[in-house]
Amino acid sequence: HYVRNFMPHLSYNQPSFYADMGEIRDEITARAAAGRLDTAPQKHYAGPRRAIEELYDCEKDPRQLNNLAGSAAHARALARMRKRMKEWIMRTRDTGFLPESDMAMRMGDGSPLRMASDPAVYPLENILMAAEMVGREGMEAGQVAALGDPDPAVRFWAAVGLHAAGGGSSAGVAALNEALGDDSPPVRIEAAWALCDAGETDRAVAVLENDLRDADLRVALRAARALQMIGEKARPALIAMKAAWTGESVSLS
């Protein structure tokens, strides 16, 4: 079983409305916050990050607790599974690499299937190249360059990559700051989230507040999720969040 985590900076234990209603999630989250995760499986599930790749021998390890992605003895299996995953993504024209508002823009009055089948509308190979850089070593220069790509999905994955790297160097932070003015909402929202996590909140929170008021609820929801995940650093946006929740600042049409 092979897993590629394209957003390795997000925990498996990230907030989720349905799961968070269970008391066990409160206990797991509290233990994680207190540094009381005792076993490797606990840390795998509730730690702050995920491995970018996971590989499991499902016959010998049915609970999938022993990640073999770093095992030299399984290097060939890992390479084979990477190749098979990419082939499957390209063959099925997987649309999971598009944020919802970006997909709607590309679709127009058509369908996801029609949109995804047209390489001119959905250049999946280029988008996947940007996504595959996420979590890899030595990718910052390529991600900074990709933030200038004409395709917004490529720019989105470049921002995700810099986010996963903690913002990167001063060049990466500068590129993310510039991306706050991107005309694609998912790009600027991801850049703002990354900057907040890197400790640069002033302009970034203001960008998220503005997108929270967007008439497109897909954009507003993405901004709200970023603010939720940022946590205490998002407190300056609390009034805007409450207004969005009651419908005072977000059109439901």
Side-chain angles (χ1 to χ4, degrees):
H1 181 200
Y2 173 73
V3 178
R4 171 57 159 104
N5 290 311
F6 287 100
M7 294 186 178
H9 51 299
L10 302 183
S11 171
Y12 277 121
N13 192 47
Q14 60 188 281
S16 169
F17 176 77
Y18 179 78
D20 287 349
M21 290 192 290
E23 293 181 4
I24 185 64
R25 282 292 294 267
D26 288 341
E27 180 67 17
I28 291 170
T29 301
R31 283 176 173 266
R36 294 170 57 207
L37 303 178
D38 302 322
T39 69
Q42 289 173 348
K43 293 174 182 176
H44 171 252
Y45 174 71
R49 297 180 66 90
R50 297 175 285 183
I52 65 168
E53 291 182 302
E54 300 175 49
L55 183 69
Y56 301 102
D57 183 332
C58 296
E59 292 185 353
K60 296 180 180 178
D61 179 25
R63 294 185 179 180
Q64 301 182 27
L65 301 179
N66 182 26
N67 184 4
L68 301 171
S71 165
H74 295 83
R76 290 180 63 184
L78 180 64
R80 183 178 72 250
M81 297 298 280
R82 279 180 190 155
K83 183 174 182 288
R84 289 185 63 182
M85 185 197 72
K86 183 172 182 179
E87 289 171 349
W88 183 87
I89 289 170
M90 296 304 300
R91 185 173 69 252
T92 61
R93 304 294 297 174
D94 187 351
T95 59
F97 294 90
L98 292 177
E100 291 86 346
S101 58
D102 189 346
M103 185 186 297
M105 179 270 295
R106 293 172 197 255
M107 282 171 41
D109 295 328
S111 67
L113 178 61
R114 181 178 298 174
M115 177 274 300
S117 300
D118 186 348
V121 178
Y122 184 41
L124 177 56
E125 189 165 4
N126 291 343
I127 296 168
L128 182 57
M129 285 177 60
E132 286 181 328
M133 287 194 286
V134 177
R136 303 289 186 193
E137 296 286 339
M139 294 291 115
E140 181 182 340
Q143 288 161 343
V144 169
L147 274 176
D149 194 273
D151 191 289
V154 172
R155 300 198 303 275
F156 169 76
W157 283 106
V160 171
L162 290 169
H163 190 178
S169 69
S170 57
V173 170
L176 288 169
N177 269 289
E178 187 172 348
L180 293 178
D182 199 288
D183 60 5
S184 170
V187 176
R188 61 176 179 261
I189 289 170
E190 188 67 30
W193 182 359
L195 287 167
C196 285
D197 281 349
E200 298 204 5
T201 58
D202 293 343
R203 286 185 62 213
V205 170
V207 166
L208 293 172
E209 279 193 68
N210 187 62
D211 280 322
L212 191 63
R213 301 184 181 98
D214 200 291
D216 184 340
L217 294 186
R218 290 165 294 218
V219 174
L221 181 60
R222 182 170 286 275
R225 177 61 168 177
L227 288 163
Q228 178 190 29
M229 295 295 286
I230 289 161
E232 187 62 30
K233 294 177 184 177
R235 182 165 292 278
L238 182 60
I239 292 175
M241 285 284 281
K242 288 181 176 179
W245 176 253
T246 59
E248 294 175 10
S249 298
V250 179
S251 171
L252 298 180
S253 61

